[in-house]
Amino acid sequence: MSAYRPLLCLLWRGTAARVCRTVTTWSPVGAAFNAKVHRRLELYQQNVGLFGVPELDSVEGFEVVQNRALQETEQLVEKACLCPPGVQTVEIFDKLSDSLCRVADMADFIKVAHPDPSYREAAERTCINIGTMVERLNTNVELCKSLKDLLDNKEIFAKLDPETRRVAELFMFDFEISGIHLDKKKRKEAVNLNVKLLDLSNQFLMSCHMPNRIEKRALPEHIHQHFSKEGEHVQISGLHADAPDDLVREVAYKIFLYPNANVMHILEELLACRDKLARLVGYESYAHRALKGSMAKSPEAVMSFLQQITDKLSDRTERDFEMMRDMKTKLNPKNSEVMAWDHPYFSGVIRAERFNIEPSLYSPYFSLGACMEGLNGLFTQLYGVSLLAEQPSVGEVWSEDVRKLAVVHETEGLLGYIYCDFFYRPEKPYQDCHFTIRGGRRLDDGQYQLPMVVLMLNLPHPTRSAPTLLSPGMMENLFHEMGHAMHSMLGRTRYQHVTGTRCATDFAEVPSILMEYFATDYRVISQFARHYQTGQPLPQSMVARLCESKKVCGAADTQLQVFYAILDQVYHGKPQNRSTTDIMIDMQKKYYGLPYVTNTAWQLRFSHLIGYGAKYYSYLMSRAVASMVWKQCFYKDPLNRETGERYRREMLAHGGAKEPMLMVEGMLQKRPSIEDFVNALVSDLDPDFETFIMDSEG
């Protein structure tokens, strides 16, 4: 185990260190993130390899770790097939899963994040080879039989602990959705469909982010400057939703979303393949297959949830669009009709005008170091957990600005590691996300395999005159992603197959969204938000304005998410004899409120159809659960240790080892209904429920 070094040792020698001293003394965790990393010369230290994997001190090491995992897999398969039914069967299956996941998960991250193309390419090859092995295992009849013998032996199965029983059932589910129960011909068909789906998914994801272009002469010259140019063409690679110029937003929307016949074919073939595979393995639709084991349980429950939200919000949504119309009329009297490209822009304008929430007013109080101090303090108070810095060893990280944190409990000791890849660099994916690199599990010798995760953000680097300063949205995203990380750290599952965030999709976002409530509560914010130059605390009235501003146009924003979720459900439900565009036009008319724009195909940019197929509703349902947990358990005292310990015990500790609704029921002391979820979401938009206490400045 590496020694914990004060984070101050990571300070760079120069102006930034002096800037930090203009404020009250930063804690080690704050100091580390408020300055550039100063790496000491380490000429004589051995390269330990990425994430401490010695073989990964060079790009050739991927093949070595991959082959070792594949060899270990073959041995474990043989062992599983010879093993008599019992707990050892599940333990071997989990070792099998761990052996492959430790390589695949790491490669999955490296292939998108490493700055060296040769590492990315090697990681991509490793992902493909491990994926091929997983497909083989999921259709290995003899391997499946060893697990089925356990599940069919009622006497032995009943004696297993609940976590072991659940993990055994989850492994069997993986076999079933791959068509293991089918005859040889149909099983081969299922394998071919899975292979085809992988290819179609990759093609669709790549196309989602490809720019569209148009001849310069087709656009007014004064808006050319807003887009990148390529010879005689203008290239449009996004919606430009925040552009103040109405014409820029309109042009970007119409051109970026212009239908591409080839991509349309890819999407429709992908949806058809998903439906065919789901029916082949015994499900009514792909949505029925995807929702097995979720909180929602069925597509019917999801549609009921989304319809009830629509019904409850209909009047408020119309009022929100009316506000946008009024604002557009005020700014552009000649063209006051609100279109799809106007929604994000005018909702932001209304918030800013009504509550004066210009991000630049807030960011001096949200230096990255201050926010990390706040997270450290929050976790210490809730869970008895501290974030301590470790100097990464030579070769351990993929970029010199990556920070490594050890997560340490006051009595349990080291819980795991978080690698913080927070800063922008060229070719880094522009997304905030959490990656599991290694899952936690109980080892044969009684020790615990420590979880290891990466948090990826895209923040600006500190400068010579200032640390990295976060807008309120960036700060909230940091808290959100750290919620995922602590889910991984605080879980102590016996099996890595269900570690941390490896749980139902509609439950996985609960811990991260709950952290957003902490990020907007003054009692939490007041503990860390202070001006990086003067040390003055963030005024309570500014937090109050920020919280209330979130509710402005909140109904319309929520309804837009409902529309996306319903479109996702319909696409993955019973096949309809019409195009994906016709379906979208129909759903937009029923569930959104703004008119469809002719010759656009928004669904061709809906990348979540791949990773969240039939599960896009999960964000709304997770938010409903998080809202209920916040209001019922944390609102009165967000820093209460007893409540934090209970939350860990009931919801964070189990990962996917416990049925998600049972975890929610344990925390709330009741099993919530769909109506309860809807009411929780809607009440968050009520101006009379405040997550702060107004002071005299308000």
mmCIF file of all heavy atoms in Angstrom, residues 488-532:
data_model
loop_
_atom_site.group_PDB
_atom_site.id
_atom_site.type_symbol
_atom_site.label_atom_id
_atom_site.label_comp_id
_atom_site.label_asym_id
_atom_site.label_seq_id
_atom_site.Cartn_x
_atom_site.Cartn_y
_atom_site.Cartn_z
ATOM 1 N N SER A 488 -19.422 3.295 -5.395
ATOM 2 C CA SER A 488 -18.433 2.245 -5.627
ATOM 3 C C SER A 488 -17.564 2.000 -4.396
ATOM 4 O O SER A 488 -17.219 0.861 -4.080
ATOM 5 C CB SER A 488 -17.531 2.621 -6.815
ATOM 6 O OG SER A 488 -18.268 2.664 -8.016
ATOM 7 N N MET A 489 -17.195 3.084 -3.694
ATOM 8 C CA MET A 489 -16.277 2.964 -2.561
ATOM 9 C C MET A 489 -16.950 2.357 -1.329
ATOM 10 O O MET A 489 -16.352 1.560 -0.603
ATOM 11 C CB MET A 489 -15.712 4.348 -2.183
ATOM 12 C CG MET A 489 -14.838 4.985 -3.238
ATOM 13 S SD MET A 489 -13.307 4.075 -3.559
ATOM 14 C CE MET A 489 -13.590 3.576 -5.252
ATOM 15 N N LEU A 490 -18.193 2.749 -1.063
ATOM 16 C CA LEU A 490 -18.853 2.364 0.184
ATOM 17 C C LEU A 490 -19.565 1.018 0.106
ATOM 18 O O LEU A 490 -19.991 0.477 1.124
ATOM 19 C CB LEU A 490 -19.845 3.454 0.616
ATOM 20 C CG LEU A 490 -19.195 4.777 1.046
ATOM 21 C CD1 LEU A 490 -20.253 5.847 1.266
ATOM 22 C CD2 LEU A 490 -18.361 4.602 2.304
ATOM 23 N N GLY A 491 -19.709 0.490 -1.098
ATOM 24 C CA GLY A 491 -20.282 -0.846 -1.236
ATOM 25 C C GLY A 491 -19.305 -1.890 -0.715
ATOM 26 O O GLY A 491 -18.096 -1.742 -0.845
ATOM 27 N N ARG A 492 -19.812 -2.910 -0.107
ATOM 28 C CA ARG A 492 -18.956 -4.009 0.355
ATOM 29 C C ARG A 492 -19.629 -5.333 0.018
ATOM 30 O O ARG A 492 -19.940 -6.144 0.882
ATOM 31 C CB ARG A 492 -18.673 -3.893 1.870
ATOM 32 C CG ARG A 492 -17.501 -2.951 2.206
ATOM 33 C CD ARG A 492 -16.229 -3.447 1.560
ATOM 34 N NE ARG A 492 -15.045 -2.618 1.751
ATOM 35 C CZ ARG A 492 -14.622 -1.696 0.896
ATOM 36 N NH1 ARG A 492 -15.327 -1.405 -0.173
ATOM 37 N NH2 ARG A 492 -13.485 -1.059 1.099
ATOM 38 N N THR A 493 -19.860 -5.519 -1.286
ATOM 39 C CA THR A 493 -20.525 -6.738 -1.737
ATOM 40 C C THR A 493 -19.549 -7.907 -1.737
ATOM 41 O O THR A 493 -18.341 -7.728 -1.919
ATOM 42 C CB THR A 493 -21.093 -6.555 -3.157
ATOM 43 O OG1 THR A 493 -20.040 -6.119 -4.027
ATOM 44 C CG2 THR A 493 -22.200 -5.520 -3.171
ATOM 45 N N ARG A 494 -20.091 -9.082 -1.549
ATOM 46 C CA ARG A 494 -19.263 -10.289 -1.568
ATOM 47 C C ARG A 494 -18.753 -10.570 -2.979
ATOM 48 O O ARG A 494 -17.656 -11.095 -3.160
ATOM 49 C CB ARG A 494 -20.104 -11.454 -1.055
ATOM 50 C CG ARG A 494 -19.379 -12.797 -1.020
ATOM 51 C CD ARG A 494 -20.270 -13.851 -0.377
ATOM 52 N NE ARG A 494 -19.642 -15.156 -0.338
ATOM 53 C CZ ARG A 494 -20.195 -16.234 0.218
ATOM 54 N NH1 ARG A 494 -21.379 -16.127 0.791
ATOM 55 N NH2 ARG A 494 -19.559 -17.405 0.216
ATOM 56 N N TYR A 495 -19.561 -10.203 -3.984
ATOM 57 C CA TYR A 495 -19.249 -10.536 -5.371
ATOM 58 C C TYR A 495 -19.049 -9.271 -6.199
ATOM 59 O O TYR A 495 -19.835 -8.317 -6.101
ATOM 60 C CB TYR A 495 -20.381 -11.374 -5.977
ATOM 61 C CG TYR A 495 -20.658 -12.655 -5.209
ATOM 62 C CD1 TYR A 495 -21.747 -12.756 -4.342
ATOM 63 C CD2 TYR A 495 -19.812 -13.754 -5.339
ATOM 64 C CE1 TYR A 495 -22.001 -13.925 -3.640
ATOM 65 C CE2 TYR A 495 -20.051 -14.927 -4.637
ATOM 66 C CZ TYR A 495 -21.142 -15.009 -3.784
ATOM 67 O OH TYR A 495 -21.375 -16.159 -3.082
ATOM 68 N N GLN A 496 -18.032 -9.277 -7.071
ATOM 69 C CA GLN A 496 -17.779 -8.101 -7.904
ATOM 70 C C GLN A 496 -18.820 -7.951 -9.011
ATOM 71 O O GLN A 496 -18.984 -6.868 -9.558
ATOM 72 C CB GLN A 496 -16.361 -8.146 -8.476
ATOM 73 C CG GLN A 496 -16.112 -9.094 -9.624
ATOM 74 C CD GLN A 496 -16.545 -8.565 -10.967
ATOM 75 O OE1 GLN A 496 -16.382 -7.387 -11.248
ATOM 76 N NE2 GLN A 496 -17.091 -9.437 -11.797
ATOM 77 N N HIS A 497 -19.535 -9.013 -9.342
ATOM 78 C CA HIS A 497 -20.555 -8.950 -10.390
ATOM 79 C C HIS A 497 -21.650 -7.937 -10.047
ATOM 80 O O HIS A 497 -22.343 -7.445 -10.938
ATOM 81 C CB HIS A 497 -21.169 -10.339 -10.597
ATOM 82 C CG HIS A 497 -21.998 -10.471 -11.835
ATOM 83 N ND1 HIS A 497 -21.473 -10.342 -13.105
ATOM 84 C CD2 HIS A 497 -23.330 -10.722 -12.009
ATOM 85 C CE1 HIS A 497 -22.442 -10.505 -14.003
ATOM 86 N NE2 HIS A 497 -23.567 -10.741 -13.367
ATOM 87 N N VAL A 498 -21.790 -7.642 -8.753
ATOM 88 C CA VAL A 498 -22.831 -6.700 -8.311
ATOM 89 C C VAL A 498 -22.222 -5.560 -7.500
ATOM 90 O O VAL A 498 -22.885 -4.943 -6.675
ATOM 91 C CB VAL A 498 -23.913 -7.435 -7.482
ATOM 92 C CG1 VAL A 498 -24.758 -8.331 -8.354
ATOM 93 C CG2 VAL A 498 -23.279 -8.241 -6.335
ATOM 94 N N THR A 499 -20.954 -5.250 -7.732
ATOM 95 C CA THR A 499 -20.286 -4.226 -6.944
ATOM 96 C C THR A 499 -20.742 -2.820 -7.335
ATOM 97 O O THR A 499 -21.004 -2.546 -8.504
ATOM 98 C CB THR A 499 -18.753 -4.333 -7.121
ATOM 99 O OG1 THR A 499 -18.110 -3.405 -6.266
ATOM 100 C CG2 THR A 499 -18.342 -4.035 -8.545
ATOM 101 N N GLY A 500 -20.853 -1.931 -6.367
ATOM 102 C CA GLY A 500 -21.082 -0.504 -6.613
ATOM 103 C C GLY A 500 -22.200 -0.188 -7.574
ATOM 104 O O GLY A 500 -23.364 -0.522 -7.348
ATOM 105 N N THR A 501 -21.836 0.431 -8.699
ATOM 106 C CA THR A 501 -22.826 0.882 -9.678
ATOM 107 C C THR A 501 -23.315 -0.230 -10.596
ATOM 108 O O THR A 501 -24.097 0.034 -11.515
ATOM 109 C CB THR A 501 -22.239 2.024 -10.535
ATOM 110 O OG1 THR A 501 -21.024 1.577 -11.137
ATOM 111 C CG2 THR A 501 -21.939 3.248 -9.686
ATOM 112 N N ARG A 502 -22.866 -1.484 -10.376
ATOM 113 C CA ARG A 502 -23.355 -2.606 -11.191
ATOM 114 C C ARG A 502 -24.694 -3.065 -10.633
ATOM 115 O O ARG A 502 -24.810 -4.096 -9.976
ATOM 116 C CB ARG A 502 -22.324 -3.736 -11.194
ATOM 117 C CG ARG A 502 -21.123 -3.371 -12.037
ATOM 118 C CD ARG A 502 -20.050 -4.425 -12.060
ATOM 119 N NE ARG A 502 -18.915 -3.938 -12.848
ATOM 120 C CZ ARG A 502 -17.679 -4.363 -12.726
ATOM 121 N NH1 ARG A 502 -17.382 -5.303 -11.853
ATOM 122 N NH2 ARG A 502 -16.709 -3.866 -13.476
ATOM 123 N N CYS A 503 -25.691 -2.258 -10.892
ATOM 124 C CA CYS A 503 -27.035 -2.494 -10.362
ATOM 125 C C CYS A 503 -28.036 -2.039 -11.420
ATOM 126 O O CYS A 503 -27.648 -1.615 -12.506
ATOM 127 C CB CYS A 503 -27.236 -1.723 -9.055
ATOM 128 S SG CYS A 503 -26.908 0.048 -9.199
ATOM 129 N N ALA A 504 -29.312 -2.128 -11.113
ATOM 130 C CA ALA A 504 -30.349 -1.721 -12.068
ATOM 131 C C ALA A 504 -30.130 -0.266 -12.484
ATOM 132 O O ALA A 504 -29.832 0.598 -11.654
ATOM 133 C CB ALA A 504 -31.725 -1.889 -11.432
ATOM 134 N N THR A 505 -30.296 0.014 -13.786
ATOM 135 C CA THR A 505 -30.030 1.357 -14.310
ATOM 136 C C THR A 505 -30.896 2.408 -13.641
ATOM 137 O O THR A 505 -30.440 3.530 -13.387
ATOM 138 C CB THR A 505 -30.260 1.379 -15.839
ATOM 139 O OG1 THR A 505 -29.486 0.332 -16.438
ATOM 140 C CG2 THR A 505 -29.846 2.700 -16.442
ATOM 141 N N ASP A 506 -32.158 2.079 -13.336
ATOM 142 C CA ASP A 506 -33.036 3.085 -12.739
ATOM 143 C C ASP A 506 -32.767 3.283 -11.249
ATOM 144 O O ASP A 506 -33.382 4.136 -10.607
ATOM 145 C CB ASP A 506 -34.518 2.793 -13.003
ATOM 146 C CG ASP A 506 -34.962 1.399 -12.591
ATOM 147 O OD1 ASP A 506 -34.170 0.670 -11.966
ATOM 148 O OD2 ASP A 506 -36.119 1.028 -12.899
ATOM 149 N N PHE A 507 -31.835 2.504 -10.682
ATOM 150 C CA PHE A 507 -31.375 2.736 -9.313
ATOM 151 C C PHE A 507 -29.977 3.353 -9.295
ATOM 152 O O PHE A 507 -29.623 4.100 -8.374
ATOM 153 C CB PHE A 507 -31.354 1.420 -8.532
ATOM 154 C CG PHE A 507 -30.916 1.571 -7.096
ATOM 155 C CD1 PHE A 507 -31.813 1.976 -6.120
ATOM 156 C CD2 PHE A 507 -29.602 1.318 -6.731
ATOM 157 C CE1 PHE A 507 -31.400 2.138 -4.799
ATOM 158 C CE2 PHE A 507 -29.184 1.465 -5.419
ATOM 159 C CZ PHE A 507 -30.091 1.878 -4.446
ATOM 160 N N ALA A 508 -29.178 3.079 -10.318
ATOM 161 C CA ALA A 508 -27.762 3.484 -10.333
ATOM 162 C C ALA A 508 -27.573 4.994 -10.241
ATOM 163 O O ALA A 508 -26.555 5.468 -9.727
ATOM 164 C CB ALA A 508 -27.080 2.944 -11.593
ATOM 165 N N GLU A 509 -28.557 5.768 -10.738
ATOM 166 C CA GLU A 509 -28.418 7.227 -10.706
ATOM 167 C C GLU A 509 -28.902 7.844 -9.396
ATOM 168 O O GLU A 509 -28.720 9.046 -9.178
ATOM 169 C CB GLU A 509 -29.185 7.851 -11.878
ATOM 170 C CG GLU A 509 -28.588 7.588 -13.247
ATOM 171 C CD GLU A 509 -27.231 8.256 -13.458
ATOM 172 O OE1 GLU A 509 -26.988 9.317 -12.853
ATOM 173 O OE2 GLU A 509 -26.410 7.704 -14.206
ATOM 174 N N VAL A 510 -29.499 7.056 -8.511
ATOM 175 C CA VAL A 510 -30.025 7.623 -7.258
ATOM 176 C C VAL A 510 -28.917 8.253 -6.412
ATOM 177 O O VAL A 510 -29.036 9.414 -5.991
ATOM 178 C CB VAL A 510 -30.817 6.566 -6.445
ATOM 179 C CG1 VAL A 510 -31.206 7.124 -5.074
ATOM 180 C CG2 VAL A 510 -32.071 6.135 -7.209
ATOM 181 N N PRO A 511 -27.806 7.537 -6.120
ATOM 182 C CA PRO A 511 -26.774 8.156 -5.280
ATOM 183 C C PRO A 511 -26.161 9.412 -5.883
ATOM 184 O O PRO A 511 -25.799 10.342 -5.158
ATOM 185 C CB PRO A 511 -25.722 7.044 -5.150
ATOM 186 C CG PRO A 511 -26.472 5.772 -5.380
ATOM 187 C CD PRO A 511 -27.481 6.122 -6.434
ATOM 188 N N SER A 512 -26.029 9.450 -7.211
ATOM 189 C CA SER A 512 -25.427 10.620 -7.851
ATOM 190 C C SER A 512 -26.396 11.803 -7.861
ATOM 191 O O SER A 512 -25.994 12.946 -7.596
ATOM 192 C CB SER A 512 -24.984 10.280 -9.273
ATOM 193 O OG SER A 512 -26.039 9.711 -10.010
ATOM 194 N N ILE A 513 -27.661 11.554 -8.141
ATOM 195 C CA ILE A 513 -28.634 12.649 -8.142
ATOM 196 C C ILE A 513 -28.865 13.171 -6.726
ATOM 197 O O ILE A 513 -29.037 14.376 -6.514
ATOM 198 C CB ILE A 513 -29.954 12.211 -8.802
ATOM 199 C CG1 ILE A 513 -29.725 11.929 -10.293
ATOM 200 C CG2 ILE A 513 -31.036 13.267 -8.624
ATOM 201 C CD1 ILE A 513 -30.912 11.339 -11.024
ATOM 202 N N LEU A 514 -28.851 12.284 -5.735
ATOM 203 C CA LEU A 514 -28.995 12.734 -4.348
ATOM 204 C C LEU A 514 -27.903 13.746 -4.002
ATOM 205 O O LEU A 514 -28.152 14.720 -3.274
ATOM 206 C CB LEU A 514 -28.940 11.540 -3.393
ATOM 207 C CG LEU A 514 -29.106 11.871 -1.909
ATOM 208 C CD1 LEU A 514 -30.487 12.461 -1.622
ATOM 209 C CD2 LEU A 514 -28.892 10.626 -1.050
ATOM 210 N N MET A 515 -26.695 13.535 -4.532
ATOM 211 C CA MET A 515 -25.600 14.469 -4.258
ATOM 212 C C MET A 515 -25.894 15.870 -4.800
ATOM 213 O O MET A 515 -25.378 16.871 -4.281
ATOM 214 C CB MET A 515 -24.297 13.933 -4.849
ATOM 215 C CG MET A 515 -23.669 12.806 -4.057
ATOM 216 S SD MET A 515 -23.140 13.307 -2.405
ATOM 217 C CE MET A 515 -21.795 14.428 -2.823
ATOM 218 N N GLU A 516 -26.728 15.980 -5.832
ATOM 219 C CA GLU A 516 -27.095 17.291 -6.361
ATOM 220 C C GLU A 516 -27.907 18.081 -5.337
ATOM 221 O O GLU A 516 -27.832 19.315 -5.289
ATOM 222 C CB GLU A 516 -27.888 17.136 -7.659
ATOM 223 C CG GLU A 516 -27.092 16.515 -8.801
ATOM 224 C CD GLU A 516 -27.944 16.282 -10.039
ATOM 225 O OE1 GLU A 516 -28.992 16.958 -10.183
ATOM 226 O OE2 GLU A 516 -27.585 15.422 -10.862
ATOM 227 N N TYR A 517 -28.687 17.378 -4.523
ATOM 228 C CA TYR A 517 -29.449 18.063 -3.471
ATOM 229 C C TYR A 517 -28.505 18.628 -2.414
ATOM 230 O O TYR A 517 -28.704 19.746 -1.917
ATOM 231 C CB TYR A 517 -30.468 17.107 -2.843
ATOM 232 C CG TYR A 517 -31.634 16.786 -3.747
ATOM 233 C CD1 TYR A 517 -31.566 15.736 -4.660
ATOM 234 C CD2 TYR A 517 -32.807 17.543 -3.711
ATOM 235 C CE1 TYR A 517 -32.626 15.438 -5.505
ATOM 236 C CE2 TYR A 517 -33.875 17.257 -4.549
ATOM 237 C CZ TYR A 517 -33.776 16.202 -5.442
ATOM 238 O OH TYR A 517 -34.826 15.919 -6.279
ATOM 239 N N PHE A 518 -27.466 17.864 -2.059
ATOM 240 C CA PHE A 518 -26.472 18.379 -1.116
ATOM 241 C C PHE A 518 -25.766 19.595 -1.709
ATOM 242 O O PHE A 518 -25.439 20.546 -1.002
ATOM 243 C CB PHE A 518 -25.437 17.295 -0.794
ATOM 244 C CG PHE A 518 -25.938 16.208 0.118
ATOM 245 C CD1 PHE A 518 -26.381 14.993 -0.398
ATOM 246 C CD2 PHE A 518 -25.971 16.392 1.489
ATOM 247 C CE1 PHE A 518 -26.841 13.986 0.442
ATOM 248 C CE2 PHE A 518 -26.428 15.394 2.334
ATOM 249 C CZ PHE A 518 -26.867 14.189 1.812
ATOM 250 N N ALA A 519 -25.543 19.563 -3.035
ATOM 251 C CA ALA A 519 -24.792 20.631 -3.704
ATOM 252 C C ALA A 519 -25.566 21.939 -3.780
ATOM 253 O O ALA A 519 -24.994 22.976 -4.135
ATOM 254 C CB ALA A 519 -24.393 20.187 -5.117
ATOM 255 N N THR A 520 -26.856 21.919 -3.479
ATOM 256 C CA THR A 520 -27.652 23.149 -3.539
ATOM 257 C C THR A 520 -28.268 23.494 -2.180
ATOM 258 O O THR A 520 -29.167 24.325 -2.105
ATOM 259 C CB THR A 520 -28.772 23.026 -4.595
ATOM 260 O OG1 THR A 520 -29.506 21.817 -4.380
ATOM 261 C CG2 THR A 520 -28.207 23.010 -5.995
ATOM 262 N N ASP A 521 -27.780 22.885 -1.117
ATOM 263 C CA ASP A 521 -28.263 23.189 0.228
ATOM 264 C C ASP A 521 -27.254 24.104 0.923
ATOM 265 O O ASP A 521 -26.072 23.768 1.020
ATOM 266 C CB ASP A 521 -28.443 21.901 1.030
ATOM 267 C CG ASP A 521 -29.112 22.157 2.368
ATOM 268 O OD1 ASP A 521 -28.439 22.697 3.266
ATOM 269 O OD2 ASP A 521 -30.304 21.830 2.509
ATOM 270 N N TYR A 522 -27.723 25.234 1.415
ATOM 271 C CA TYR A 522 -26.807 26.225 1.969
ATOM 272 C C TYR A 522 -26.032 25.696 3.169
ATOM 273 O O TYR A 522 -24.878 26.059 3.390
ATOM 274 C CB TYR A 522 -27.557 27.503 2.359
ATOM 275 C CG TYR A 522 -26.607 28.584 2.831
ATOM 276 C CD1 TYR A 522 -25.772 29.240 1.923
ATOM 277 C CD2 TYR A 522 -26.497 28.910 4.178
ATOM 278 C CE1 TYR A 522 -24.871 30.200 2.338
ATOM 279 C CE2 TYR A 522 -25.594 29.876 4.609
ATOM 280 C CZ TYR A 522 -24.785 30.516 3.687
ATOM 281 O OH TYR A 522 -23.881 31.456 4.098
ATOM 282 N N ARG A 523 -26.650 24.821 3.942
ATOM 283 C CA ARG A 523 -25.962 24.285 5.115
ATOM 284 C C ARG A 523 -24.737 23.464 4.717
ATOM 285 O O ARG A 523 -23.778 23.351 5.483
ATOM 286 C CB ARG A 523 -26.932 23.443 5.949
ATOM 287 C CG ARG A 523 -28.037 24.265 6.601
ATOM 288 C CD ARG A 523 -29.201 23.386 7.027
ATOM 289 N NE ARG A 523 -29.908 22.804 5.895
ATOM 290 C CZ ARG A 523 -30.978 22.004 6.008
ATOM 291 N NH1 ARG A 523 -31.451 21.698 7.214
ATOM 292 N NH2 ARG A 523 -31.562 21.524 4.928
ATOM 293 N N VAL A 524 -24.770 22.895 3.519
ATOM 294 C CA VAL A 524 -23.608 22.177 2.984
ATOM 295 C C VAL A 524 -22.660 23.155 2.293
ATOM 296 O O VAL A 524 -21.450 23.165 2.550
ATOM 297 C CB VAL A 524 -24.055 21.075 1.993
ATOM 298 C CG1 VAL A 524 -22.845 20.385 1.367
ATOM 299 C CG2 VAL A 524 -24.948 20.054 2.691
ATOM 300 N N ILE A 525 -23.213 23.991 1.411
ATOM 301 C CA ILE A 525 -22.394 24.926 0.632
ATOM 302 C C ILE A 525 -21.612 25.871 1.537
ATOM 303 O O ILE A 525 -20.449 26.202 1.263
ATOM 304 C CB ILE A 525 -23.286 25.725 -0.345
ATOM 305 C CG1 ILE A 525 -23.842 24.799 -1.430
ATOM 306 C CG2 ILE A 525 -22.507 26.861 -0.989
ATOM 307 C CD1 ILE A 525 -24.794 25.480 -2.388
ATOM 308 N N SER A 526 -22.229 26.294 2.633
ATOM 309 C CA SER A 526 -21.579 27.272 3.519
ATOM 310 C C SER A 526 -20.307 26.720 4.145
ATOM 311 O O SER A 526 -19.471 27.481 4.632
ATOM 312 C CB SER A 526 -22.547 27.704 4.622
ATOM 313 O OG SER A 526 -22.896 26.596 5.449
ATOM 314 N N GLN A 527 -20.147 25.419 4.136
ATOM 315 C CA GLN A 527 -18.952 24.817 4.730
ATOM 316 C C GLN A 527 -17.717 24.942 3.838
ATOM 317 O O GLN A 527 -16.601 24.731 4.302
ATOM 318 C CB GLN A 527 -19.206 23.341 5.029
ATOM 319 C CG GLN A 527 -20.295 23.110 6.074
ATOM 320 C CD GLN A 527 -20.116 21.796 6.792
ATOM 321 O OE1 GLN A 527 -19.645 20.817 6.224
ATOM 322 N NE2 GLN A 527 -20.472 21.772 8.056
ATOM 323 N N PHE A 528 -17.918 25.259 2.548
ATOM 324 C CA PHE A 528 -16.741 25.299 1.672
ATOM 325 C C PHE A 528 -16.704 26.450 0.679
ATOM 326 O O PHE A 528 -15.619 26.816 0.203
ATOM 327 C CB PHE A 528 -16.620 23.978 0.896
ATOM 328 C CG PHE A 528 -17.692 23.748 -0.139
ATOM 329 C CD1 PHE A 528 -17.537 24.208 -1.437
ATOM 330 C CD2 PHE A 528 -18.853 23.047 0.174
ATOM 331 C CE1 PHE A 528 -18.524 23.990 -2.400
ATOM 332 C CE2 PHE A 528 -19.829 22.814 -0.774
ATOM 333 C CZ PHE A 528 -19.664 23.291 -2.070
ATOM 334 N N ALA A 529 -17.849 27.024 0.315
ATOM 335 C CA ALA A 529 -17.872 28.028 -0.755
ATOM 336 C C ALA A 529 -17.389 29.377 -0.230
ATOM 337 O O ALA A 529 -18.107 30.072 0.492
ATOM 338 C CB ALA A 529 -19.280 28.145 -1.334
ATOM 339 N N ARG A 530 -16.155 29.722 -0.585
ATOM 340 C CA ARG A 530 -15.614 31.016 -0.197
ATOM 341 C C ARG A 530 -14.772 31.559 -1.350
ATOM 342 O O ARG A 530 -14.193 30.803 -2.129
ATOM 343 C CB ARG A 530 -14.793 30.906 1.082
ATOM 344 C CG ARG A 530 -13.652 29.922 1.047
ATOM 345 C CD ARG A 530 -13.114 29.699 2.467
ATOM 346 N NE ARG A 530 -11.875 28.934 2.491
ATOM 347 C CZ ARG A 530 -11.805 27.612 2.425
ATOM 348 N NH1 ARG A 530 -12.923 26.905 2.302
ATOM 349 N NH2 ARG A 530 -10.644 26.996 2.484
ATOM 350 N N HIS A 531 -14.715 32.872 -1.429
ATOM 351 C CA HIS A 531 -14.034 33.530 -2.540
ATOM 352 C C HIS A 531 -12.550 33.179 -2.525
ATOM 353 O O HIS A 531 -11.889 33.266 -1.492
ATOM 354 C CB HIS A 531 -14.218 35.043 -2.433
ATOM 355 C CG HIS A 531 -13.984 35.764 -3.718
ATOM 356 N ND1 HIS A 531 -12.709 35.941 -4.235
ATOM 357 C CD2 HIS A 531 -14.843 36.334 -4.608
ATOM 358 C CE1 HIS A 531 -12.802 36.608 -5.375
ATOM 359 N NE2 HIS A 531 -14.079 36.852 -5.628
ATOM 360 N N TYR A 532 -12.038 32.761 -3.680
ATOM 361 C CA TYR A 532 -10.659 32.269 -3.717
ATOM 362 C C TYR A 532 -9.638 33.368 -3.433
ATOM 363 O O TYR A 532 -8.495 33.081 -3.069
ATOM 364 C CB TYR A 532 -10.367 31.609 -5.065
ATOM 365 C CG TYR A 532 -10.119 32.561 -6.217
ATOM 366 C CD1 TYR A 532 -8.823 32.886 -6.622
ATOM 367 C CD2 TYR A 532 -11.176 33.136 -6.914
ATOM 368 C CE1 TYR A 532 -8.588 33.752 -7.680
ATOM 369 C CE2 TYR A 532 -10.957 33.998 -7.966
ATOM 370 C CZ TYR A 532 -9.665 34.304 -8.348
ATOM 371 O OH TYR A 532 -9.439 35.157 -9.394
#
